[in-house]
Amino acid sequence: MTFDALSPREVTEAVSGTGAHKGNMRLDKVFFSAVSAGCLLAFACGTTLSTTATPWFQDNAPGLIRTIGALVFPYGLCMILLTSADLCTGSFMFTTLAVLHRRLTWSRMLIHWAVTFIGNLAGSLFIVAIIFGYGNAFSAEPFRSAVISFATKKQVTPDFHMIFLRGIGCNWLVCLACFFGIQGRDLASKIIGIWLPTFAFVSLGFDHVVANMTFIPLGIWLGAPQITIGLYIWKGIIPALLGNIIGGGVFCGTFYWYMYLVDLNTLPLYGEERTQSNSLKSASCSGRAGTKRPDIETSAAGFDDRNRHMKE
């Protein structure tokens, strides 16, 4: 049985190339790309909130309605990845791996993180205030109560360390979604690969710092009594952001670099030799110098290798 997909090592190489490309983009493009990502994810957050605004299910089957909401949320990440928009949580994996692969400097990585974070926040707040807020998308009941209840459970109920640990699990899964999205070759495979890990983190109630940029400010906009801007910064941004950095940068970026690239710097950067699949071609060429000609498959990332040996 054969699968039309990149191998894990090829995906890791593609992630490295993508991270180098993203980290070296013009900052104005990075910012607007991040604004787009914040807007697209905010739409998915709104759909999830409207889906779960069902009082009967909240009282009688809360696990079921959260699972249903988790099934619809991943379309946001699909739109982001398929349009190559910049989500800071995904960049934690892409750019970390590129730095470890010596294709990007630490300073460029940190600048990229800062610009994407600010852009994601700007896009999320735009949707919260202009589209959802002044558009009165959640002002009627039961949607208003559902948003306030959801934001309170996200922000007030858990402790700081709980949100931090949930943030690790969240971006571990989100970056796996990015990984699988690159691994598939056709559109359907990419969407399925993105959908499943994203569904997993939402169904488990984990904390995504960019999703919280919609959930919590929208609750504040609608008058959540226990939530202030200071509380949101202290418990909605800081622990989720730190957890997301570790989940994406360490559990995905560093891990896959260690597994597939750390001892393989002498091998071709993109693709790998396909001797078995090209046995017929090799046989036909045996009369010429009696050597096999390896078939090197180019990576999905499509970037050159000029930055591979760049030193900081």
mmCIF file of all heavy atoms in Angstrom, residues 153-201:
data_model
loop_
_atom_site.group_PDB
_atom_site.id
_atom_site.type_symbol
_atom_site.label_atom_id
_atom_site.label_comp_id
_atom_site.label_asym_id
_atom_site.label_seq_id
_atom_site.Cartn_x
_atom_site.Cartn_y
_atom_site.Cartn_z
ATOM 1 N N LYS A 153 -15.718 31.039 32.350
ATOM 2 C CA LYS A 153 -15.129 29.728 32.593
ATOM 3 C C LYS A 153 -13.692 29.655 32.083
ATOM 4 O O LYS A 153 -12.852 28.962 32.664
ATOM 5 C CB LYS A 153 -15.978 28.644 31.921
ATOM 6 C CG LYS A 153 -17.349 28.441 32.563
ATOM 7 C CD LYS A 153 -18.165 27.420 31.795
ATOM 8 C CE LYS A 153 -19.546 27.251 32.416
ATOM 9 N NZ LYS A 153 -20.388 26.295 31.637
ATOM 10 N N LYS A 154 -13.413 30.370 31.015
ATOM 11 C CA LYS A 154 -12.066 30.375 30.452
ATOM 12 C C LYS A 154 -11.107 31.205 31.293
ATOM 13 O O LYS A 154 -9.925 30.873 31.428
ATOM 14 C CB LYS A 154 -12.096 30.948 29.032
ATOM 15 C CG LYS A 154 -12.385 29.946 27.937
ATOM 16 C CD LYS A 154 -11.112 29.223 27.557
ATOM 17 C CE LYS A 154 -11.345 28.292 26.373
ATOM 18 N NZ LYS A 154 -10.153 27.474 26.086
ATOM 19 N N GLN A 155 -11.610 32.327 31.863
ATOM 20 C CA GLN A 155 -10.732 33.317 32.435
ATOM 21 C C GLN A 155 -10.728 33.356 33.956
ATOM 22 O O GLN A 155 -9.685 33.514 34.572
ATOM 23 C CB GLN A 155 -11.165 34.705 31.918
ATOM 24 C CG GLN A 155 -10.127 35.774 32.105
ATOM 25 C CD GLN A 155 -8.934 35.576 31.208
ATOM 26 O OE1 GLN A 155 -8.788 36.235 30.200
ATOM 27 N NE2 GLN A 155 -8.063 34.665 31.553
ATOM 28 N N VAL A 156 -11.878 33.221 34.566
ATOM 29 C CA VAL A 156 -11.995 33.402 36.001
ATOM 30 C C VAL A 156 -11.795 32.097 36.759
ATOM 31 O O VAL A 156 -11.101 32.048 37.781
ATOM 32 C CB VAL A 156 -13.358 34.032 36.358
ATOM 33 C CG1 VAL A 156 -13.499 34.197 37.865
ATOM 34 C CG2 VAL A 156 -13.524 35.374 35.645
ATOM 35 N N THR A 157 -12.386 31.029 36.281
ATOM 36 C CA THR A 157 -12.396 29.764 37.019
ATOM 37 C C THR A 157 -11.026 29.114 37.152
ATOM 38 O O THR A 157 -10.611 28.754 38.260
ATOM 39 C CB THR A 157 -13.387 28.786 36.367
ATOM 40 O OG1 THR A 157 -14.666 29.409 36.287
ATOM 41 C CG2 THR A 157 -13.482 27.509 37.169
ATOM 42 N N PRO A 158 -10.246 28.921 36.058
ATOM 43 C CA PRO A 158 -8.965 28.211 36.190
ATOM 44 C C PRO A 158 -7.874 29.079 36.805
ATOM 45 O O PRO A 158 -7.909 30.315 36.734
ATOM 46 C CB PRO A 158 -8.625 27.846 34.742
ATOM 47 C CG PRO A 158 -9.295 28.891 33.926
ATOM 48 C CD PRO A 158 -10.557 29.243 34.655
ATOM 49 N N ASP A 159 -6.878 28.424 37.410
ATOM 50 C CA ASP A 159 -5.714 29.121 37.939
ATOM 51 C C ASP A 159 -4.700 29.371 36.819
ATOM 52 O O ASP A 159 -4.779 28.799 35.728
ATOM 53 C CB ASP A 159 -5.056 28.284 39.044
ATOM 54 C CG ASP A 159 -5.955 28.124 40.257
ATOM 55 O OD1 ASP A 159 -6.763 29.044 40.521
ATOM 56 O OD2 ASP A 159 -5.864 27.068 40.928
ATOM 57 N N PHE A 160 -3.710 30.218 37.124
ATOM 58 C CA PHE A 160 -2.677 30.592 36.156
ATOM 59 C C PHE A 160 -1.977 29.362 35.596
ATOM 60 O O PHE A 160 -1.813 29.218 34.381
ATOM 61 C CB PHE A 160 -1.672 31.530 36.830
ATOM 62 C CG PHE A 160 -0.639 32.102 35.912
ATOM 63 C CD1 PHE A 160 -0.774 33.374 35.384
ATOM 64 C CD2 PHE A 160 0.515 31.374 35.572
ATOM 65 C CE1 PHE A 160 0.198 33.916 34.544
ATOM 66 C CE2 PHE A 160 1.482 31.900 34.735
ATOM 67 C CZ PHE A 160 1.323 33.179 34.220
ATOM 68 N N HIS A 161 -1.549 28.450 36.484
ATOM 69 C CA HIS A 161 -0.778 27.297 36.023
ATOM 70 C C HIS A 161 -1.622 26.347 35.182
ATOM 71 O O HIS A 161 -1.109 25.669 34.296
ATOM 72 C CB HIS A 161 -0.179 26.545 37.215
ATOM 73 C CG HIS A 161 -1.167 25.773 38.027
ATOM 74 N ND1 HIS A 161 -1.996 26.357 38.969
ATOM 75 C CD2 HIS A 161 -1.488 24.446 38.020
ATOM 76 C CE1 HIS A 161 -2.754 25.435 39.520
ATOM 77 N NE2 HIS A 161 -2.472 24.260 38.965
ATOM 78 N N MET A 162 -2.940 26.323 35.442
ATOM 79 C CA MET A 162 -3.819 25.475 34.640
ATOM 80 C C MET A 162 -3.868 25.971 33.194
ATOM 81 O O MET A 162 -3.794 25.178 32.244
ATOM 82 C CB MET A 162 -5.219 25.457 35.234
ATOM 83 C CG MET A 162 -5.313 24.870 36.619
ATOM 84 S SD MET A 162 -7.009 24.999 37.252
ATOM 85 C CE MET A 162 -6.794 24.310 38.905
ATOM 86 N N ILE A 163 -4.006 27.289 33.019
ATOM 87 C CA ILE A 163 -4.050 27.856 31.672
ATOM 88 C C ILE A 163 -2.718 27.634 30.964
ATOM 89 O O ILE A 163 -2.665 27.325 29.767
ATOM 90 C CB ILE A 163 -4.394 29.352 31.742
ATOM 91 C CG1 ILE A 163 -5.782 29.543 32.372
ATOM 92 C CG2 ILE A 163 -4.354 29.987 30.363
ATOM 93 C CD1 ILE A 163 -6.158 30.983 32.625
ATOM 94 N N PHE A 164 -1.613 27.768 31.701
ATOM 95 C CA PHE A 164 -0.288 27.534 31.132
ATOM 96 C C PHE A 164 -0.156 26.107 30.598
ATOM 97 O O PHE A 164 0.294 25.888 29.464
ATOM 98 C CB PHE A 164 0.781 27.809 32.194
ATOM 99 C CG PHE A 164 2.158 27.347 31.823
ATOM 100 C CD1 PHE A 164 2.900 28.032 30.876
ATOM 101 C CD2 PHE A 164 2.708 26.215 32.411
ATOM 102 C CE1 PHE A 164 4.185 27.594 30.526
ATOM 103 C CE2 PHE A 164 3.983 25.776 32.074
ATOM 104 C CZ PHE A 164 4.717 26.470 31.123
ATOM 105 N N LEU A 165 -0.549 25.138 31.398
ATOM 106 C CA LEU A 165 -0.435 23.740 30.973
ATOM 107 C C LEU A 165 -1.385 23.428 29.819
ATOM 108 O O LEU A 165 -1.031 22.685 28.890
ATOM 109 C CB LEU A 165 -0.716 22.818 32.164
ATOM 110 C CG LEU A 165 0.321 22.892 33.304
ATOM 111 C CD1 LEU A 165 -0.146 22.080 34.500
ATOM 112 C CD2 LEU A 165 1.684 22.423 32.823
ATOM 113 N N ARG A 166 -2.578 23.993 29.854
ATOM 114 C CA ARG A 166 -3.503 23.806 28.730
ATOM 115 C C ARG A 166 -2.940 24.441 27.455
ATOM 116 O O ARG A 166 -3.170 23.933 26.349
ATOM 117 C CB ARG A 166 -4.864 24.428 29.063
ATOM 118 C CG ARG A 166 -5.610 23.742 30.207
ATOM 119 C CD ARG A 166 -6.883 24.507 30.525
ATOM 120 N NE ARG A 166 -7.528 24.010 31.738
ATOM 121 C CZ ARG A 166 -8.635 24.538 32.260
ATOM 122 N NH1 ARG A 166 -9.210 25.571 31.673
ATOM 123 N NH2 ARG A 166 -9.156 24.028 33.358
ATOM 124 N N GLY A 167 -2.217 25.535 27.616
ATOM 125 C CA GLY A 167 -1.603 26.182 26.461
ATOM 126 C C GLY A 167 -0.556 25.298 25.806
ATOM 127 O O GLY A 167 -0.418 25.294 24.575
ATOM 128 N N ILE A 168 0.192 24.539 26.614
ATOM 129 C CA ILE A 168 1.170 23.607 26.038
ATOM 130 C C ILE A 168 0.457 22.555 25.190
ATOM 131 O O ILE A 168 0.830 22.306 24.034
ATOM 132 C CB ILE A 168 1.991 22.930 27.154
ATOM 133 C CG1 ILE A 168 2.868 23.947 27.880
ATOM 134 C CG2 ILE A 168 2.866 21.812 26.570
ATOM 135 C CD1 ILE A 168 3.631 23.380 29.075
ATOM 136 N N GLY A 169 -0.564 21.931 25.772
ATOM 137 C CA GLY A 169 -1.298 20.911 25.022
ATOM 138 C C GLY A 169 -1.957 21.471 23.779
ATOM 139 O O GLY A 169 -1.980 20.816 22.723
ATOM 140 N N CYS A 170 -2.457 22.695 23.883
ATOM 141 C CA CYS A 170 -3.141 23.311 22.747
ATOM 142 C C CYS A 170 -2.214 23.457 21.550
ATOM 143 O O CYS A 170 -2.505 22.975 20.454
ATOM 144 C CB CYS A 170 -3.685 24.680 23.164
ATOM 145 S SG CYS A 170 -4.250 25.680 21.768
ATOM 146 N N ASN A 171 -1.078 24.132 21.748
ATOM 147 C CA ASN A 171 -0.241 24.402 20.579
ATOM 148 C C ASN A 171 0.541 23.185 20.125
ATOM 149 O O ASN A 171 1.008 23.135 18.989
ATOM 150 C CB ASN A 171 0.711 25.565 20.857
ATOM 151 C CG ASN A 171 1.015 26.331 19.590
ATOM 152 O OD1 ASN A 171 0.174 26.444 18.703
ATOM 153 N ND2 ASN A 171 2.215 26.866 19.486
ATOM 154 N N TRP A 172 0.705 22.211 20.974
ATOM 155 C CA TRP A 172 1.247 20.924 20.531
ATOM 156 C C TRP A 172 0.353 20.366 19.426
ATOM 157 O O TRP A 172 0.825 19.937 18.364
ATOM 158 C CB TRP A 172 1.314 19.983 21.726
ATOM 159 C CG TRP A 172 2.075 18.707 21.529
ATOM 160 C CD1 TRP A 172 2.487 18.161 20.353
ATOM 161 C CD2 TRP A 172 2.509 17.812 22.557
ATOM 162 N NE1 TRP A 172 3.146 16.985 20.573
ATOM 163 C CE2 TRP A 172 3.180 16.749 21.922
ATOM 164 C CE3 TRP A 172 2.401 17.808 23.945
ATOM 165 C CZ2 TRP A 172 3.715 15.687 22.639
ATOM 166 C CZ3 TRP A 172 2.947 16.756 24.652
ATOM 167 C CH2 TRP A 172 3.592 15.707 24.015
ATOM 168 N N LEU A 173 -0.956 20.403 19.667
ATOM 169 C CA LEU A 173 -1.910 19.891 18.689
ATOM 170 C C LEU A 173 -2.053 20.818 17.486
ATOM 171 O O LEU A 173 -2.157 20.357 16.339
ATOM 172 C CB LEU A 173 -3.270 19.677 19.355
ATOM 173 C CG LEU A 173 -3.325 18.523 20.365
ATOM 174 C CD1 LEU A 173 -4.598 18.591 21.198
ATOM 175 C CD2 LEU A 173 -3.240 17.174 19.649
ATOM 176 N N VAL A 174 -2.060 22.123 17.716
ATOM 177 C CA VAL A 174 -2.181 23.067 16.606
ATOM 178 C C VAL A 174 -1.005 22.933 15.644
ATOM 179 O O VAL A 174 -1.178 22.940 14.420
ATOM 180 C CB VAL A 174 -2.287 24.510 17.135
ATOM 181 C CG1 VAL A 174 -2.130 25.525 16.002
ATOM 182 C CG2 VAL A 174 -3.626 24.723 17.836
ATOM 183 N N CYS A 175 0.210 22.795 16.177
ATOM 184 C CA CYS A 175 1.379 22.656 15.314
ATOM 185 C C CYS A 175 1.399 21.297 14.614
ATOM 186 O O CYS A 175 1.924 21.182 13.498
ATOM 187 C CB CYS A 175 2.658 22.888 16.116
ATOM 188 S SG CYS A 175 2.889 24.627 16.572
ATOM 189 N N LEU A 176 0.832 20.290 15.241
ATOM 190 C CA LEU A 176 0.654 19.021 14.526
ATOM 191 C C LEU A 176 -0.290 19.206 13.340
ATOM 192 O O LEU A 176 -0.097 18.608 12.281
ATOM 193 C CB LEU A 176 0.110 17.945 15.471
ATOM 194 C CG LEU A 176 1.127 17.244 16.368
ATOM 195 C CD1 LEU A 176 0.412 16.273 17.305
ATOM 196 C CD2 LEU A 176 2.160 16.493 15.539
ATOM 197 N N ALA A 177 -1.320 20.042 13.522
ATOM 198 C CA ALA A 177 -2.228 20.344 12.412
ATOM 199 C C ALA A 177 -1.464 21.026 11.272
ATOM 200 O O ALA A 177 -1.679 20.712 10.092
ATOM 201 C CB ALA A 177 -3.370 21.225 12.895
ATOM 202 N N CYS A 178 -0.565 21.950 11.610
ATOM 203 C CA CYS A 178 0.279 22.589 10.589
ATOM 204 C C CYS A 178 1.175 21.555 9.912
ATOM 205 O O CYS A 178 1.365 21.576 8.686
ATOM 206 C CB CYS A 178 1.121 23.682 11.220
ATOM 207 S SG CYS A 178 0.198 25.039 11.982
ATOM 208 N N PHE A 179 1.739 20.656 10.698
ATOM 209 C CA PHE A 179 2.613 19.591 10.196
ATOM 210 C C PHE A 179 1.860 18.705 9.209
ATOM 211 O O PHE A 179 2.331 18.438 8.101
ATOM 212 C CB PHE A 179 3.125 18.782 11.381
ATOM 213 C CG PHE A 179 4.261 17.846 11.072
ATOM 214 C CD1 PHE A 179 5.573 18.245 11.252
ATOM 215 C CD2 PHE A 179 4.020 16.549 10.637
ATOM 216 C CE1 PHE A 179 6.634 17.379 10.991
ATOM 217 C CE2 PHE A 179 5.057 15.675 10.372
ATOM 218 C CZ PHE A 179 6.375 16.090 10.547
ATOM 219 N N PHE A 180 0.667 18.257 9.604
ATOM 220 C CA PHE A 180 -0.129 17.382 8.737
ATOM 221 C C PHE A 180 -0.623 18.133 7.503
ATOM 222 O O PHE A 180 -0.793 17.539 6.433
ATOM 223 C CB PHE A 180 -1.322 16.813 9.498
ATOM 224 C CG PHE A 180 -0.942 15.918 10.645
ATOM 225 C CD1 PHE A 180 -1.804 15.736 11.716
ATOM 226 C CD2 PHE A 180 0.272 15.255 10.662
ATOM 227 C CE1 PHE A 180 -1.455 14.918 12.784
ATOM 228 C CE2 PHE A 180 0.630 14.437 11.725
ATOM 229 C CZ PHE A 180 -0.235 14.269 12.791
ATOM 230 N N GLY A 181 -0.881 19.430 7.658
ATOM 231 C CA GLY A 181 -1.321 20.213 6.507
ATOM 232 C C GLY A 181 -0.268 20.274 5.420
ATOM 233 O O GLY A 181 -0.598 20.302 4.230
ATOM 234 N N ILE A 182 1.006 20.293 5.809
ATOM 235 C CA ILE A 182 2.090 20.259 4.829
ATOM 236 C C ILE A 182 2.273 18.852 4.276
ATOM 237 O O ILE A 182 2.594 18.666 3.102
ATOM 238 C CB ILE A 182 3.399 20.760 5.473
ATOM 239 C CG1 ILE A 182 3.295 22.257 5.782
ATOM 240 C CG2 ILE A 182 4.603 20.491 4.579
ATOM 241 C CD1 ILE A 182 4.495 22.825 6.495
ATOM 242 N N GLN A 183 2.033 17.847 5.103
ATOM 243 C CA GLN A 183 2.309 16.465 4.709
ATOM 244 C C GLN A 183 1.423 16.002 3.564
ATOM 245 O O GLN A 183 1.871 15.276 2.671
ATOM 246 C CB GLN A 183 2.133 15.542 5.908
ATOM 247 C CG GLN A 183 2.633 14.127 5.681
ATOM 248 C CD GLN A 183 2.817 13.380 6.979
ATOM 249 O OE1 GLN A 183 2.218 13.702 7.992
ATOM 250 N NE2 GLN A 183 3.677 12.374 6.966
ATOM 251 N N GLY A 184 0.166 16.407 3.552
ATOM 252 C CA GLY A 184 -0.732 15.996 2.478
ATOM 253 C C GLY A 184 -0.426 16.731 1.190
ATOM 254 O O GLY A 184 -0.008 17.885 1.183
ATOM 255 N N ARG A 185 -0.636 16.068 0.065
ATOM 256 C CA ARG A 185 -0.338 16.666 -1.234
ATOM 257 C C ARG A 185 -1.572 17.300 -1.881
ATOM 258 O O ARG A 185 -1.444 18.252 -2.636
ATOM 259 C CB ARG A 185 0.250 15.619 -2.183
ATOM 260 C CG ARG A 185 1.607 15.084 -1.773
ATOM 261 C CD ARG A 185 2.082 14.065 -2.795
ATOM 262 N NE ARG A 185 3.334 13.424 -2.398
ATOM 263 C CZ ARG A 185 4.533 13.915 -2.634
ATOM 264 N NH1 ARG A 185 4.659 15.066 -3.253
ATOM 265 N NH2 ARG A 185 5.619 13.274 -2.257
ATOM 266 N N ASP A 186 -2.747 16.739 -1.656
ATOM 267 C CA ASP A 186 -3.951 17.275 -2.265
ATOM 268 C C ASP A 186 -4.768 18.053 -1.231
ATOM 269 O O ASP A 186 -4.540 17.945 -0.019
ATOM 270 C CB ASP A 186 -4.805 16.153 -2.867
ATOM 271 C CG ASP A 186 -5.228 15.139 -1.817
ATOM 272 O OD1 ASP A 186 -4.423 14.232 -1.516
ATOM 273 O OD2 ASP A 186 -6.345 15.267 -1.279
ATOM 274 N N LEU A 187 -5.711 18.843 -1.708
ATOM 275 C CA LEU A 187 -6.458 19.744 -0.834
ATOM 276 C C LEU A 187 -7.240 18.994 0.230
ATOM 277 O O LEU A 187 -7.242 19.391 1.409
ATOM 278 C CB LEU A 187 -7.407 20.612 -1.666
ATOM 279 C CG LEU A 187 -8.174 21.689 -0.900
ATOM 280 C CD1 LEU A 187 -7.227 22.691 -0.268
ATOM 281 C CD2 LEU A 187 -9.165 22.395 -1.826
ATOM 282 N N ALA A 188 -7.889 17.897 -0.142
ATOM 283 C CA ALA A 188 -8.686 17.137 0.827
ATOM 284 C C ALA A 188 -7.798 16.584 1.941
ATOM 285 O O ALA A 188 -8.163 16.639 3.120
ATOM 286 C CB ALA A 188 -9.432 16.001 0.125
ATOM 287 N N SER A 189 -6.643 16.053 1.588
ATOM 288 C CA SER A 189 -5.727 15.517 2.597
ATOM 289 C C SER A 189 -5.251 16.600 3.545
ATOM 290 O O SER A 189 -5.141 16.386 4.759
ATOM 291 C CB SER A 189 -4.524 14.859 1.917
ATOM 292 O OG SER A 189 -4.929 13.770 1.112
ATOM 293 N N LYS A 190 -4.962 17.770 3.009
ATOM 294 C CA LYS A 190 -4.525 18.875 3.851
ATOM 295 C C LYS A 190 -5.616 19.275 4.833
ATOM 296 O O LYS A 190 -5.359 19.487 6.021
ATOM 297 C CB LYS A 190 -4.124 20.069 2.979
ATOM 298 C CG LYS A 190 -2.840 19.866 2.184
ATOM 299 C CD LYS A 190 -2.513 21.088 1.346
ATOM 300 C CE LYS A 190 -1.228 20.884 0.562
ATOM 301 N NZ LYS A 190 -0.041 20.787 1.432
ATOM 302 N N ILE A 191 -6.846 19.388 4.359
ATOM 303 C CA ILE A 191 -7.946 19.815 5.224
ATOM 304 C C ILE A 191 -8.187 18.792 6.330
ATOM 305 O O ILE A 191 -8.359 19.151 7.501
ATOM 306 C CB ILE A 191 -9.216 20.041 4.387
ATOM 307 C CG1 ILE A 191 -9.039 21.286 3.504
ATOM 308 C CG2 ILE A 191 -10.439 20.196 5.290
ATOM 309 C CD1 ILE A 191 -10.194 21.531 2.557
ATOM 310 N N ILE A 192 -8.180 17.511 5.985
ATOM 311 C CA ILE A 192 -8.378 16.470 7.006
ATOM 312 C C ILE A 192 -7.240 16.503 8.024
ATOM 313 O O ILE A 192 -7.465 16.399 9.236
ATOM 314 C CB ILE A 192 -8.483 15.086 6.341
ATOM 315 C CG1 ILE A 192 -9.754 14.995 5.488
ATOM 316 C CG2 ILE A 192 -8.486 13.979 7.409
ATOM 317 C CD1 ILE A 192 -9.843 13.743 4.645
ATOM 318 N N GLY A 193 -6.013 16.658 7.536
ATOM 319 C CA GLY A 193 -4.866 16.714 8.434
ATOM 320 C C GLY A 193 -4.928 17.895 9.383
ATOM 321 O O GLY A 193 -4.551 17.788 10.552
ATOM 322 N N ILE A 194 -5.409 19.033 8.903
ATOM 323 C CA ILE A 194 -5.561 20.215 9.756
ATOM 324 C C ILE A 194 -6.713 20.040 10.726
ATOM 325 O O ILE A 194 -6.635 20.431 11.895
ATOM 326 C CB ILE A 194 -5.771 21.470 8.884
ATOM 327 C CG1 ILE A 194 -4.536 21.742 8.021
ATOM 328 C CG2 ILE A 194 -6.095 22.685 9.746
ATOM 329 C CD1 ILE A 194 -4.782 22.758 6.912
ATOM 330 N N TRP A 195 -7.799 19.443 10.255
ATOM 331 C CA TRP A 195 -9.044 19.387 11.015
ATOM 332 C C TRP A 195 -8.918 18.565 12.304
ATOM 333 O O TRP A 195 -9.361 19.009 13.373
ATOM 334 C CB TRP A 195 -10.146 18.797 10.136
ATOM 335 C CG TRP A 195 -11.516 19.283 10.515
ATOM 336 C CD1 TRP A 195 -12.320 18.828 11.525
ATOM 337 C CD2 TRP A 195 -12.238 20.342 9.888
ATOM 338 N NE1 TRP A 195 -13.488 19.523 11.568
ATOM 339 C CE2 TRP A 195 -13.475 20.459 10.570
ATOM 340 C CE3 TRP A 195 -11.986 21.194 8.819
ATOM 341 C CZ2 TRP A 195 -14.436 21.403 10.205
ATOM 342 C CZ3 TRP A 195 -12.937 22.123 8.455
ATOM 343 C CH2 TRP A 195 -14.134 22.228 9.137
ATOM 344 N N LEU A 196 -8.319 17.397 12.209
ATOM 345 C CA LEU A 196 -8.381 16.467 13.342
ATOM 346 C C LEU A 196 -7.646 16.962 14.586
ATOM 347 O O LEU A 196 -8.224 16.961 15.681
ATOM 348 C CB LEU A 196 -7.868 15.100 12.894
ATOM 349 C CG LEU A 196 -8.748 14.400 11.843
ATOM 350 C CD1 LEU A 196 -8.114 13.088 11.412
ATOM 351 C CD2 LEU A 196 -10.153 14.158 12.369
ATOM 352 N N PRO A 197 -6.370 17.394 14.506
ATOM 353 C CA PRO A 197 -5.722 17.893 15.729
ATOM 354 C C PRO A 197 -6.380 19.158 16.274
ATOM 355 O O PRO A 197 -6.421 19.367 17.495
ATOM 356 C CB PRO A 197 -4.279 18.166 15.286
ATOM 357 C CG PRO A 197 -4.099 17.361 14.045
ATOM 358 C CD PRO A 197 -5.430 17.371 13.378
ATOM 359 N N THR A 198 -6.902 20.001 15.377
ATOM 360 C CA THR A 198 -7.579 21.219 15.842
ATOM 361 C C THR A 198 -8.850 20.867 16.593
ATOM 362 O O THR A 198 -9.151 21.447 17.648
ATOM 363 C CB THR A 198 -7.897 22.132 14.644
ATOM 364 O OG1 THR A 198 -6.719 22.316 13.852
ATOM 365 C CG2 THR A 198 -8.398 23.480 15.118
ATOM 366 N N PHE A 199 -9.598 19.916 16.067
ATOM 367 C CA PHE A 199 -10.781 19.419 16.774
ATOM 368 C C PHE A 199 -10.400 18.893 18.153
ATOM 369 O O PHE A 199 -11.093 19.130 19.148
ATOM 370 C CB PHE A 199 -11.443 18.317 15.953
ATOM 371 C CG PHE A 199 -12.322 17.396 16.756
ATOM 372 C CD1 PHE A 199 -13.580 17.799 17.186
ATOM 373 C CD2 PHE A 199 -11.875 16.129 17.115
ATOM 374 C CE1 PHE A 199 -14.389 16.964 17.939
ATOM 375 C CE2 PHE A 199 -12.671 15.286 17.869
ATOM 376 C CZ PHE A 199 -13.929 15.704 18.281
ATOM 377 N N ALA A 200 -9.274 18.214 18.225
ATOM 378 C CA ALA A 200 -8.843 17.624 19.494
ATOM 379 C C ALA A 200 -8.598 18.698 20.550
ATOM 380 O O ALA A 200 -9.068 18.581 21.693
ATOM 381 C CB ALA A 200 -7.576 16.786 19.289
ATOM 382 N N PHE A 201 -7.891 19.766 20.202
ATOM 383 C CA PHE A 201 -7.575 20.762 21.232
ATOM 384 C C PHE A 201 -8.811 21.521 21.681
ATOM 385 O O PHE A 201 -8.955 21.866 22.858
ATOM 386 C CB PHE A 201 -6.455 21.703 20.745
ATOM 387 C CG PHE A 201 -6.880 23.072 20.306
ATOM 388 C CD1 PHE A 201 -7.253 24.039 21.233
ATOM 389 C CD2 PHE A 201 -6.858 23.433 18.964
ATOM 390 C CE1 PHE A 201 -7.612 25.324 20.826
ATOM 391 C CE2 PHE A 201 -7.216 24.697 18.551
ATOM 392 C CZ PHE A 201 -7.602 25.640 19.491
#
